[in-house]
Amino acid sequence: MDNKRLASLDALRGFDMLFIIGLSSLIVALCRLFPGGEDCWLLHQMSHVSWHGLRHHDTIFPLFLFIAGISFPFSYAKQQAKGVARWKIYRKIFVRGLVLVLLGLVCNGLLKFHWSDLRICSVLGRIGLAWMFAALLFINFKPSVRAVIAVVLLVGYWLLLRFVPAPDAPAGADPFSFEGNLVGYIDRCVLPGHLYKGDKGVFDPEGLLSTVPAVVTAMLGMFTGEWVRKDGIRGGKKTLWMVAAAAVLLVLGLIWSKWFPLNKKLWTSSFVLVVGAYSLAMFALFYWLIDVKGWKKWAFPLVVVGMNSIAIFMIPRIIDFKYATNFFLEGLCGLMSPLWGKVVWQLGFLLLGWLFLYFLYKKKVFLKV
C-alpha cells in the first residue's frame, strides 16, 4: 500500500475526540430527559470508573495513543522513501515526544509559574513518551522481536505489581489497590507534591511506571499500521484479520483480568489488551467503511475534528467556549425546562467547537507536533 493518508484514521481520531469536545456531556444531558436516565447504562459510560473496571470513557485516551501508533509506519516509510538520514528520524522522534511532554506541562499550568506544585505528568506527556519509545523500538527491531518485547513488558509489569507492593502500603493491602500499588509509591517518591490533585495528590493516573504498559498500546497501533501497509492483500481480507486479532486480544485480556484487574489508572496489562481489542475493532470498522468500501462523505464531520486533534485538546484551555455558548444560547435555554435547556446548551457547545475546527480546516491551519 502506498503512503497516502488514511481517511479512516482521521475519521476515527475525530470520533474519539468528539467525546472530549462535548459529545459525552450531550449524551448525559439526553439520557436525563428520560425517566430513570440518571441510572441508565449509557449515561454511566460517559464517565471514568473510580478504580477497577472499564467504561467507554476509559477507552478514549488509549484509542488516541493506538491511533498515533498506526500513523508511524506510514510516516517512517515516507521518510525512508525520501532518503531522510537516520539521525534526522531519531531527532524527529525525540523532538515530537518531548514537545508533547512540554505541551502537557503547559496544559497543567506551566505558564502560571506556580512550579512548586505543578503537576508533572499529563495525558499529552504520556502520549509523547509512550509513542516515542514505541517508535524507537519500531525502527530498531523486526516485528517478531517487538512482539516478544511487548509480551515481556506486559508480563513483567504484572509480576512487578503483583509481588512488589508499595512499601508504605497499609498491612495486608491489595497490591492492585489504590493504597497498595507500587505505581503510586514510585510517583510519591520521585515527584512529591507534583501529582494529580484529583487523587488526593498521592497518585497520578499518568505516572511514571504505568507509562511502561502504555508503550505497548502504541506498539499495538504500530503493528496495525504495518499490517495495513502490506501490499498484495485485499482490504477486505486485512479487515477480517484485524477483527480476528481484536477477538483474540479481547479473550486474552478478559481472562487475564481475573488475576490482573482492568484498571485505566494503573494501565494494567489486561487493560492494554482489552482496550487494544476495542481500538483495533473500531479501526477495522472505519477502515472497511472508508478506505475499503470508499464510503467517505458521512465521515467528513469526524475528519474535520480528527485532523486537528492537538488543537482541540489545547485551545479550550485558552479560548473560553463556554462563555461563547452562553452568549448565544443562555437566553434561549432560559425559556426551556432545565433538562431541555441543558440539551440545547450542550448541543450548541459541541457545534461551536466543531465550527471552530471547520474554520481551521477551511483555512488549512493544522496544529501538528
Side-chain angles (χ1 to χ4, degrees):
M1 183 175 184
D2 62 26
N3 293 312
K4 68 181 181 179
R5 191 177 186 94
L6 283 176
S8 58
L9 208 55
D10 290 321
L12 181 57
R13 189 186 296 110
F15 168 79
D16 197 39
M17 294 304 293
L18 270 183
F19 291 93
I20 297 294
I21 68 174
L23 181 58
S24 58
S25 297
L26 176 60
I27 291 173
V28 168
L30 286 169
C31 287
R32 287 173 173 161
L33 290 176
F34 301 94
E38 286 284 353
D39 299 318
C40 78
W41 174 87
L42 184 58
L43 181 145
H44 289 295
Q45 294 304 308
M46 297 302 108
S47 62
H48 295 292
V49 294
S50 58
W51 194 245
H52 293 327
L54 182 68
R55 295 176 184 165
H56 178 269
H57 222 55
D58 300 309
T59 68
I60 296 172
F61 182 6
L63 175 57
F64 190 93
L65 180 55
F66 181 88
I67 293 170
I70 295 177
S71 302
F72 184 68
F74 289 88
S75 63
Y76 180 59
K78 186 176 181 180
Q79 292 177 80
Q80 284 186 311
K82 290 181 177 180
V84 177
R86 194 170 181 84
W87 70 267
K88 289 185 178 180
I89 296 176
Y90 274 111
R91 182 181 66 184
K92 188 173 182 179
I93 291 172
F94 282 115
V95 168
R96 184 172 192 255
L98 295 177
V99 166
L100 285 171
V101 171
L102 177 61
L103 290 177
L105 289 172
V106 171
C107 289
N108 288 350
L110 178 68
L111 300 181
K112 294 180 181 179
F113 300 108
H114 297 158
W115 296 339
S116 62
D117 61 349
L118 174 69
R119 184 189 175 200
I120 302 299
C121 303
S122 65
V123 168
L124 290 179
R126 167 157 293 180
I127 292 171
L129 292 176
W131 175 89
M132 181 181 74
F133 288 120
L136 293 173
L137 290 171
F138 181 90
I139 66 177
N140 283 287
F141 299 100
K142 60 184 181 181
S144 58
V145 176
R146 280 184 277 120
V148 171
I149 292 173
V151 171
V152 169
L153 289 177
L154 293 181
V155 173
Y157 183 67
W158 169 46
L159 295 176
L160 182 64
L161 265 61
R162 172 64 182 85
F163 294 107
V164 185
D168 61 353
D174 184 340
F176 303 139
S177 68
F178 180 83
E179 299 82 7
N181 71 85
L182 184 65
V183 172
Y185 174 76
I186 289 176
D187 289 333
R188 289 191 294 274
C189 291
V190 179
L191 302 171
H194 297 281
L195 304 182
Y196 178 59
K197 302 300 187 293
D199 280 318
K200 307 175 185 177
V202 298
F203 181 88
D204 202 297
E206 282 78 50
L208 300 175
L209 182 58
S210 55
T211 299
V212 173
V215 172
V216 180
T217 299
M219 292 175 72
L220 290 175
M222 292 179 190
F223 284 126
T224 304
E226 281 181 286
W227 172 245
V228 173
R229 282 197 71 252
K230 282 185 176 293
D231 294 320
I233 305 175
R234 291 181 297 105
K237 187 173 182 180
K238 289 178 180 178
T239 302
L240 287 175
W241 276 104
M242 285 191 283
V243 171
V248 172
L249 288 176
L250 178 61
V251 170
L252 291 176
L254 290 177
I255 292 173
W256 203 348
S257 69
K258 301 299 181 181
W259 296 275
F260 198 15
L262 297 171
N263 189 305
K264 175 184 176 291
K265 291 184 176 181
L266 291 175
W267 213 280
T268 56
S269 303
S270 58
F271 174 81
V272 171
L273 296 183
V274 170
V275 180
Y278 166 80
S279 301
L280 182 53
M282 288 297 294
F283 174 69
L285 174 63
F286 276 64
Y287 173 73
W288 183 77
L289 290 173
I290 298 172
D291 291 306
V292 177
K293 303 300 290 184
W295 300 334
K296 298 181 179 181
K297 291 184 178 179
W298 70 273
F300 175 73
L302 301 178
V303 171
V304 168
V305 179
M307 290 188 69
N308 241 326
S309 54
I310 297 296
I312 201 57
F313 192 90
M314 295 289 298
I315 289 173
R317 290 162 171 77
I318 304 170
I319 300 175
D320 191 348
F321 286 103
K322 291 182 179 179
Y323 178 86
T325 305
N326 283 333
F327 177 83
F328 288 108
L329 294 178
E330 188 172 25
L332 177 62
C333 293
L335 300 176
M336 304 175 180
S337 68
L339 291 178
W340 272 108
K342 190 68 173 177
V343 169
V344 172
W345 192 94
Q346 293 293 352
L347 181 61
F349 180 81
L350 178 61
L351 180 61
L352 186 65
W354 187 87
L355 288 173
F356 179 79
L357 290 175
Y358 180 69
F359 173 78
L360 296 181
Y361 178 88
K362 294 295 288 185
K363 296 297 181 180
K364 300 187 184 304
V365 177
F366 304 107
L367 179 59
K368 297 181 179 179
V369 178

